[in-house]
Amino acid sequence: MKKTTQFLLMAVVLLFSTVMMAQSTITGTIMDAELNSPLPGANVVEKGTTNGVSSDFDGKFKLETTTPTGQIVISFVGYSSVTLKFTGSTNLGNIKLTPDNSLDEVVIIGSGVIDLAEGRKTPIAVSTIKANQIQEKTGTSDLPEVLKSTPSVQSIQGGGFGEGQMFLRGFDQVNTAFLLNGQPINSPEDGRMFWSNWSGVLDVAQAVQVQRGLGSSKLAISSVGGTVNIVTKTIDRKEGGFLQQMIANDNYTKTTASYSTGLMESGWAFSALLGHWQGEGYVEDTDGQGQTYFISLGYKANDNNIFNFMITGAPQWHATSGFYNLETLLDNGRKFNGFTNNNGSYSGVNSPNLLQSGRYPAGRNIYHKPVANLSWDLTINDNSSLSTVLYASAGRGAFASTQRTGSAGSRVATYARGSNNNHNWYGLVTNYNNDLNENLSLNVGADVRLYNGIHFRSVNEFLSVNSVNASSNYNGGAYQLTEVFGGINPWNVFFNTNDDHAQRFGYDYEENINYMGVFGQLEYAKDSFSAFFQGSASTQSHIRTEFLSVASEGQSEESDKVNNPGFNVKAGASYNLNASNVVFANVGYYSRQPFHSDLFVDDRNSNQLNPFVEGNQKITGLEAGYKFLGDVVSANLNVYHTTWDNKIDYSSRDTDSNGQADEFTQTSPLKQVHMGVELEVFTRFAEGLNINGFVSVGDWKYDGNITTRTTDDTGAVISQGATSYIDGVKIGQAAQFTAGITADYEILPRLKVGANWNQYDNLYGNSDFSGAEFATEDNRGAIKLPSYDTVDAGVSYKMLLGKNDDKSLQMRVNINNVFDEVYIENSRDNIHVDSGDVAWKGVNVDNGVRFGYGRTWNFSMRYNF
């Protein structure tokens, strides 16, 4: 009996131990959240143990756990880890990992106004570049260069730091809307973007989203070509930071430091980034230097209220280059800078602000335009929320053009003339979102912008004289300029502004542009179908105040107030044929107010309204798309047709290569038609290998002829009423055929190599409409420039220095234009080749052109902690 009792007791103990030690079987499939494709080789570990497995080629895994309940941690190099609970044997289904530095690592402030495509179920033509890609590929470039592997995007590097330009579906960046955390940053005066003023934005960007065509933005913005939304860091969920040092060709160096406290238990969070850069520039005598600062202070009062204050700026100066005759560049090389060379020896210059070459530049850009915003995200209840962003910017800066005397080869620089473009800009964007039911959502909001632009000329620096005689426009008398404002230091330009009208000359005026709009969106989504309708209405007022060309000194003259209403409507629908196939179509119409620069005959010298302006611009957009989401291959196919009517074109030309525009041309209303097709393909054929590609084919032409009016920089008319025969002429500056392939391969853990190839064809000369090439009906149209292709490559390695990937040392080398391709990136002119003319690759050497950069490189080392 005793033995029987012992046996039964032992059996109970063994049975209990077996139950306590029972294993659970956890299965699932690990997916890339962006590409919706499997992630082979991902690590799956039972938390608190060394028990783990890796996912197979199809992303699948099977883990036998040591306990019946617990947690598993799923991680993959370059992706944010995921922790999941389990109870007993479980199939977790598809588990999606998001790339490192994704939006999930940040509490998005003002999310209701940022208008990312993911916030709407009905698709659009969109490409998103995340922070890790930006970090790897930026180097010394501006944002347009980072986006050049996006369909229908063309990047032009420009002659100096921050002078890059971007074209989207053939539209320049004046007519592409750029948003910073949902707030417009194109100039309200003329829509222009100056990347030199935003040179630090990529240091703080969490993601950049390119929405081609109609896009998802609800604001009434200048999005003819599309919308580029830059989302910056705000409140990081986790504590950390980095120190980075970069060096590059032409003595470029950049030092950056960043730290974030993460969201603390108190609800507060703080992030800051500081940086300094300097270099001599790829083109000779285009030296530059600047700083970047970013400060974000957030407070999460509770689950329903999040506040954030952010301020960022990029004070900088850089010397400039420009267009030169092709013959001159072929004789002197791609790095030739005629701005400086045309000014001879600069004898007699007494300045501490010489370039590394010992010369003083003919033109220098000096600006500081910080922007600050205060955001409030309010969760009202489970179905509704309110996001509000109040922002302000006080920009100060000038283009300092060197004035000189004497003959070529022995010119003396006398002073640096500053063409000042300052502003005070305030705005508010607020958006209320309500999920009316499980299928229907409503967004309504308001958009207010108050803008004061201040424009004049003054002296930035005396070089070989102590004063300058100026003539007065108001009474024909002469007066002396004896004071210097700002110099070349952007901080001095910002804090030492010229408020004395008696020390201004050339032109002196202000404008006040006030904009008020409302917008709304209704979206329906059920099962496989979704549809939306968007609309906005706005009013915009303009007042111009003249201080120089007035009846008597000390007075000012105000223009009549111009009021322009505008609106836009957009609608679309999509249908999921199945889990892998989606089709959609969108349509939109914009009645867009003319820019301030369009409204006046000469906005620098006159309050007279431009008779060419005939109401609002009219933009009609049609687009359709197909998305395929496969396990190994995914693809997007888009077609579009955009008509832009009643547009006023305003162009400037530097005729003597001194870095300052001295001819200005306005046109009667013109019409452009842009149509095309875009294909993107994403693949993941093997572990660690990504191969993506795109092809864009466009057909962009002018429709109808126009008349022009050209003035010099004093407002005097050079020509008026001339007809430019541009009907059917190809629209220039951007290639109408682009293609590219990007490949990245992780050959060893955390060691990655990559390259991208880009092809450009059907690129035409710029039509500025004032040239003789379009003076007759039998003109030969725009010249066609040679096609070209470039290859960029990079290698990166991430060395782990701590547990759980919390500390690392990351190194990156980039080589751009690996094969040193010589190519014309755009042409200012349209001079055709006639008998006896000299040509290079079919282009007349008398054309003013700009070459793309040759081979360049950069190396960075980044310590993450």
Side-chain angles (χ1 to χ4, degrees), residues 222-243:
S222 56
S223 52
V224 183
T227 304
V228 178
N229 211 326
I230 305 163
V231 181
T232 68
K233 293 167 66 68
T234 48
I235 301 177
D236 283 325
R237 283 199 175 100
K238 60 183 182 181
E239 181 184 9
F242 70 85
L243 298 171

Side-chain angles (χ1 to χ4, degrees), residues 486-565:
I488 72 158
N489 187 316
W491 292 96
N492 288 342
V493 169
F494 189 82
F495 291 107
N496 183 25
T497 57
N498 179 2
D499 297 321
D500 184 1
H501 291 284
Q503 288 295 305
R504 300 178 180 182
F505 71 106
Y507 55 80
D508 183 9
Y509 67 97
E510 294 187 15
E511 69 246 338
N512 286 288
I513 306 170
N514 296 333
Y515 174 97
M516 296 185 183
V518 292
F519 56 83
Q521 173 182 287
L522 192 65
E523 184 171 32
Y524 173 83
K526 184 177 182 180
D527 299 329
S528 299
F529 177 76
S530 69
F532 79 95
F533 175 81
Q534 284 183 5
S536 72
S538 62
T539 180
Q540 185 167 282
S541 67
H542 304 259
I543 296 178
R544 184 187 184 281
T545 304
E546 174 65 33
F547 293 99
L548 195 59
S549 300
V550 292
S552 59
E553 185 176 359
Q555 291 188 347
S556 63
E557 293 180 0
E558 216 174 69
S559 71
D560 293 335
K561 187 175 183 180
V562 179
N563 290 291
N564 291 311

Side-chain angles (χ1 to χ4, degrees), residues 564 591-594 599 612-618 646 648 669:
N564 291 311
S591 177
R592 192 181 83 172
Q593 297 100 329
L599 289 174
F612 281 154
V613 176
E614 300 175 358
N616 287 358
Q617 299 173 17
K618 303 169 184 176
N646 212 37
I648 299 295

